[in-house]
Amino acid sequence: MTGINIENVRKDFPILSKQVNGNNLIYFDNAATSQKPSAVIEGLKYFYENINANPIRSIHSLAEESTKVYNDARKKVADFINAEPEEIVFVRNATEAINLVSFSFPFKKEDRISSTYMEHHSNLLPWLRLKERGIGVDIAQVSEDYELDINYYRRLPKNTRLVALTHASNVTGTINDVKEIARLSHEQGALVLVDAAQSIPHMPFDVKDIDADFVAFSGHKMLAPFGIGVLYIKKDTSKNMQPFLTGGEMIKDVSLSRIIYENVPNLFEAGTQNVEGAYGLGLAVEYLNNLGMENVEKYEAELTNYLYERAKELKNVEIYSGKSKRFNSIFSFNVTGLHSHDTAYLLDKKGIAVRSGFHCAQPLIEDRLKLDGAARASLYFYNTKEEINTFIDELNKIAAKYGRQ
Ligand SMILES: Cc1ncc(COP(=O)(O)O)c(C=O)c1O
C-alpha cells in the first residue's frame, strides 16, 4: 500500500488501541462518525486553555484571537474543496445545511424539486416537507445495480428548480457522477445540491470542477468534533436567499422599523457560533491535507477491494452494496434470517463496531430493497486488512451458526 503509513496513522488515534468486550476495537462504523486524531483532541484543549472567547463581537485580545481562528478555519475549509471563504457557511451538520437551503431558498409554488431513492433522510425530508407549500417533489429511481439513471437527468420534470442528490450513498456505497448530473441539470435551468457527507471525508473534492450550487457535509465524519458542518453556497446563488435564523451578528444595521442584513456567510450564522468546532474542523482538514486526499482515496480503495474479495468466502450472507460502477468503502449486508441488530450485537461481542437498522434511509432499505434493516461495515483510512480478516472470520462464524441456508 502506498501513501499512507498505517502504523504511524493509527498511533494518531488514541481510541484505536481501546479494548471493547475483551477484544481490540475494530471500528467499522465510520460512515456514522469518524474517530478523532490527537491533533484535533489536543487542539480543542488548547482552544479552551488559550483562546476561548466569543468571536466577531468584542475587540479584546482573546476575542480577536477567537475571531481569527474562526476565519482561518473558514479559509482552510474553503481551500479544501476549492471554494472561496465567503461561500462557506458554518452550520451544525449536513442535516442543518440542507434544511437551511429548504427554508431560505425562494422556492415558488410551481417549482419542483428532484431528490432520489438513495438519499439519507436529511436530503429527503426537507424536500418532502416543502410539499406542504405546494412544491412538487420527484424521486429518481435506483436500478438493480444501485445506480441512478442518467437519462432521468437529461429530461427533468418540467419546472424542476433544484436537483438534490447524494454524492455517495451511505447504504449501497454508490458514488454518483455528480459532475455530469450538475451539467445536465444546469442545461435545464435547475440548481444542484450535492450531499457530500459520505464523499468529502474520503476523496479529493473540487466544488468548481463539479459545479454544484450547494454542497452539504458534516465535520464529525471527517475527524472533526460533533456539532460543526458546512454548507457551501455558490456566490451568486445566495443572492435572493432569506435568512434561516435571525439574531446576533447577522445584521449590518437594525432599528425597530428597519433591518439591513449582513452578507453571506454571516447572514446564515446568527447567534454565537461553534468556534471550537470550526477550529477543530480546521485542524481535521490540516490532518487530511498532510495525508493527501489522493492517498486517502487510494488506500481506502485497496482496503475496499480486499474486503469485497474476502467477502466472496461468506456463506449465508447477502450483500447490498458494491454493485455500482463506482462505490466507496461501505459494505452493507445481512446474515440471512438474522436481524441486522442481532448481527451487530454479535459482532460487538468481538469488539467489532458496525451499524445496523435503517441507516436513516428507510425508503431505500424498506421500500426499494425490501429489507427490515441491514448491517453495515464502513471503513476509513486508519483501518487495516488485518481488521478486515478478523471481521470476515467472525462474520463467517455468525453466519454459519445463525444464518439460514
Ligand atoms: C449521505 C448522508 N447524508 C447526510 C447525513 C447526515 O449527516 P448528519 O447527521 O451529520 O447531519 C448522513 C449521515 O449519516 C449521510 O450518510
Side-chain angles (χ1 to χ4, degrees):
M1 299 225 183
T2 51
I4 299 268
N5 181 332
I6 189 66
E7 271 153 40
N8 286 349
V9 159
R10 285 183 70 83
K11 283 190 207 134
D12 290 339
F13 291 80
I15 207 168
L16 296 181
S17 45
K18 195 177 155 72
Q19 296 271 301
V20 171
N21 295 324
N23 298 278
N24 293 333
L25 167 67
I26 296 181
Y27 186 76
F28 278 4
D29 196 16
N30 293 289
T33 198
S34 72
Q35 296 302 345
K36 321 300 173 200
S38 302
V40 170
I41 300 168
E42 282 157 23
L44 298 184
K45 187 164 178 282
Y46 177 84
F47 176 85
Y48 280 112
E49 287 178 351
N50 295 280
I51 303 173
N52 184 49
N54 201 323
I56 306 169
R57 291 141 173 82
S58 311
I59 59 148
H60 61 79
S61 299
L62 278 190
E64 289 202 342
E65 179 70 7
S66 183
T67 304
K68 182 179 178 317
V69 299
Y70 189 60
N71 290 337
D72 286 352
R74 198 190 302 281
K75 170 89 172 76
K76 281 182 201 166
V77 171
D79 289 347
F80 191 62
I81 63 167
N82 195 22
E84 307 304 320
E86 315 79 74
E87 296 173 314
I88 300 295
V89 178
F90 282 128
V91 290
R92 278 190 305 152
N93 46 36
T95 302
E96 185 172 296
I98 298 169
N99 274 277
L100 192 159
V101 178
S102 78
F103 276 93
S104 299
F105 191 80
F107 290 110
K108 296 195 211 72
K109 209 164 177 197
E110 61 274 19
D111 287 342
R112 300 193 72 80
I113 293 165
S114 187
S115 184
T116 86
Y117 236 120
M118 68 166 81
E119 300 308 311
H120 188 279
H121 294 164
S122 59
N123 199 21
L124 194 57
L125 298 186
W127 312 124
L128 292 180
R129 194 152 76 154
L130 287 182
K131 281 184 172 181
E132 290 163 15
R133 282 172 41 193
I135 292 160
V137 178
D138 302 294
I139 305 294
Q141 288 298 327
V142 174
S143 74
E144 288 297 307
D145 290 337
Y146 313 136
E147 300 273 11
L148 295 173
D149 178 6
I150 198 82
N151 286 320
Y152 171 85
Y153 295 95
R154 294 201 166 94
R155 285 183 303 275
L156 286 169
K158 200 162 165 266
N159 292 338
T160 300
R161 188 82 185 92
L162 179 80
V163 166
L165 82 162
T166 192
H167 194 183
S169 161
N170 63 321
V171 177
T172 65
T174 308
I175 297 176
N176 289 312
D177 187 351
V178 285
K179 181 175 173 177
E180 179 63 2
I181 289 174
R183 191 184 70 77
L184 293 170
S185 304
H186 287 154
E187 270 178 11
Q188 293 160 85
L191 297 172
V192 175
L193 179 146
V194 173
D195 172 357
Q198 297 293 351
S199 60
I200 286 181
H202 301 278
M203 60 175 78
F205 187 97
D206 182 332
V207 79
K208 289 202 174 73
D209 181 52
I210 291 170
D211 197 21
D213 303 284
F214 303 100
V215 177
F217 57 105
S218 295
H220 70 91
K221 293 183 198 287
M222 51 185 289
L223 315 182
F226 289 111
I228 187 76
V230 174
L231 172 64
Y232 160 87
I233 312 179
K234 197 198 279 178
K235 223 174 262 164
D236 294 337
T237 311
S238 57
K239 251 185 212 150
N240 298 318
M241 287 173 70
Q242 296 299 309
F244 176 41
L245 300 173
T246 50
E249 294 306 332
M250 49 78 71
I251 42 91
K252 286 185 176 141
D253 198 20
V254 67
S255 71
L256 293 186
S257 55
R258 178 185 53 100
I259 305 172
I260 302 176
Y261 290 120
E262 262 290 3
N263 299 326
V264 178
N266 306 68
L267 176 71
F268 294 123
E269 294 181 358
T272 300
Q273 292 300 297
N274 181 0
V275 203
E276 163 208 331
Y279 181 64
L281 179 56
L283 294 175
V285 160
E286 256 172 31
Y287 186 94
L288 290 168
N289 281 336
N290 286 339
L291 285 181
M293 289 309 290
E294 284 85 5
N295 291 328
V296 168
E297 185 180 34
K298 216 185 292 170
Y299 178 80
E300 280 187 39
E302 283 189 45
L303 276 188
T304 306
N305 288 342
Y306 185 71
L307 171 55
Y308 277 92
E309 210 36 56
R310 282 235 44 203
K312 289 180 185 158
E313 298 163 26
L314 293 168
K315 293 197 184 69
N316 306 338
V317 172
E318 289 174 1
I319 299 169
Y320 315 113
S321 54
K323 273 205 236 165
S324 47
K325 283 195 288 291
R326 283 188 74 200
F327 54 91
N328 64 6
S329 51
I330 276 174
F331 180 75
S332 294
F333 64 97
N334 271 329
V335 173
T336 45
L338 197 62
H339 194 276
S340 60
H341 289 329
D342 294 324
T343 307
Y345 173 81
L346 293 165
L347 286 168
D348 183 59
K349 291 280 146 235
K350 301 293 173 188
I352 303 168
V354 299
R355 169 103 193 253
S356 51
F358 286 127
H359 306 276
C360 302
Q362 197 171 348
L364 171 66
I365 296 210
E366 202 169 44
D367 302 348
R368 179 66 189 78
L369 302 178
K370 308 283 178 221
L371 302 171
D372 61 0
R376 179 188 70 191
S378 52
L379 312 177
Y380 210 5
F381 60 83
Y382 41 67
N383 291 126
T384 65
K385 286 186 177 174
E386 291 71 34
E387 290 180 317
I388 292 172
N389 288 338
T390 308
F391 166 68
I392 294 287
D393 293 347
E394 294 301 336
L395 182 55
N396 241 338
K397 285 186 213 159
I398 294 167
K401 190 162 175 192
Y402 300 101
R404 228 182 16 229
Q405 301 278 335

